[in-house]
Amino acid sequence: ETGVTQSPTHLIKTRGQQVTLRCSSQSGHNTVSWYQQALGQGPQFIFQYYREEENGRGNFPPRFSGLQFPNYSSELNVNALELDDSALYLCASSLGGRQETQYFGPGTRLLVL
Amino acid sequence: GQQLNQSPQSMFIQEGEDVSMNCTSSSIFNTWLWYKQDPGEGPVLLIALYKAGELTSNGRLTAQFGITRKDSFLNISASIPSDVGIYFCAGRLTDSNYQLIWGAGTKLIIKP
């Protein structure tokens, strides 16, 4: 059984650019949630995908968007990057939408200059 | 937005000591969760609580769901070096279908 994997592990972008982060869910899981974790803070929920549909969204602007593929892997896209987007981006997968059953990946560290 | 106040922000303890941390909110929660995050990794669920007053243990860890449903506590007994890390509380509001609200974390450091 493979765990949740994310790529890339680290990324540096400049303000205004676009970025795509990737997540492979744990085998058998059909739900992926994305979180933003700023330094010294807890994770903030961005959105959740269940069977390729967005299933809920936190307080993030539309320039944060996502996709889930038939194999339940997922992408997080962020357009028009801002300095405050610098953070650790975590994805978590679960079977169904209950977040307490989710398993987290190691995250992608994004730095926006 | 909704907030969880987690304290203390950090703790310096001796190996073998007991540890206590807590989360409070002005809102009522129907689920409380406690996670641990090690450097370079995502959070790992330690304990889940679903009923007011519930007391649940996981090895040396014990967590309680406060009677008012606005707070939760985590205790670690006889700390060991591998307990080092950041502990997060997270809660689900009573009117939320799934979204968790997270605290800012308690960083546990063991003095040599």
Side-chain angles (χ1 to χ4, degrees):
Chain A
E1 182 180 277
T2 56
V4 180
T5 60
Q6 292 186 243
S7 63
T9 55
H10 296 82
L11 200 54
I12 299 175
K13 291 285 189 178
T14 56
R15 208 166 35 170
Q17 285 189 310
Q18 179 266 342
V19 70
T20 297
L21 310 182
R22 295 178 175 84
C23 173
S24 290
S25 58
Q26 183 163 313
S27 177
H29 286 181
N30 57 14
T31 304
V32 172
S33 300
W34 285 92
Y35 296 83
Q36 180 194 68
Q37 186 177 20
L39 202 60
Q41 299 296 317
Q44 297 286 319
F45 176 74
I46 303 175
F47 43 56
Q48 182 182 85
Y49 278 82
Y50 171 67
R51 293 185 174 179
E52 303 178 57
E53 298 282 334
E54 187 179 292
N55 190 39
R57 189 178 185 92
N59 190 25
F60 280 81
R63 61 189 183 85
F64 286 78
S65 63
L67 282 173
Q68 189 178 31
F69 300 100
N71 66 355
Y72 302 128
S73 65
S74 179
E75 285 182 354
L76 165 65
N77 299 292
V78 187
N79 293 321
L81 283 167
E82 301 176 0
L83 298 180
D84 285 349
D85 294 334
S86 296
L88 180 69
Y89 288 85
L90 295 163
C91 83
S93 75
S94 61
L95 183 60
R98 288 179 67 87
Q99 293 187 342
E100 54 264 44
T101 62
Q102 63 191 349
Y103 290 85
F104 283 86
T108 293
R109 176 74 64 186
L110 173 64
L111 178 61
V112 182
L113 301 175
Chain B
Q2 302 292 342
Q3 284 190 325
L4 287 182
N5 300 308
Q6 187 170 351
S7 65
Q9 191 174 20
S10 61
M11 302 181 72
F12 289 81
I13 60 167
Q14 299 276 9
E15 185 176 346
E17 285 185 352
D18 296 343
V19 172
S20 291
M21 60 190 78
N22 67 83
C23 273
T24 61
S25 173
S26 57
S27 302
I28 292 174
F29 287 78
N30 67 5
T31 300
W32 283 97
L33 307 174
W34 285 92
Y35 289 85
K36 179 174 183 261
Q37 186 174 26
D38 292 325
E41 298 184 15
V44 174
L45 181 66
L46 300 173
I47 293 177
L49 303 160
Y50 298 103
K51 288 166 45 174
E54 181 180 353
L55 186 72
T56 297
S57 293
N58 178 7
R60 294 177 296 105
L61 278 62
T62 301
Q64 184 163 25
F65 194 139
I67 291 291
T68 65
R69 300 171 70 186
K70 294 181 179 181
D71 55 11
S72 181
F73 307 87
L74 176 69
N75 296 309
I76 305 173
S77 62
S79 57
I80 60 177
S82 62
D83 291 334
V84 163
I86 303 177
Y87 292 80
F88 291 98
C89 62
R92 180 185 294 118
L93 295 166
T94 52
D95 60 353
S96 167
N97 52 352
Y98 51 81
Q99 184 175 337
L100 296 178
I101 310 297
W102 292 69
T106 294
K107 188 171 185 178
L108 187 63
I109 301 160
I110 294 187
K111 291 183 276 191

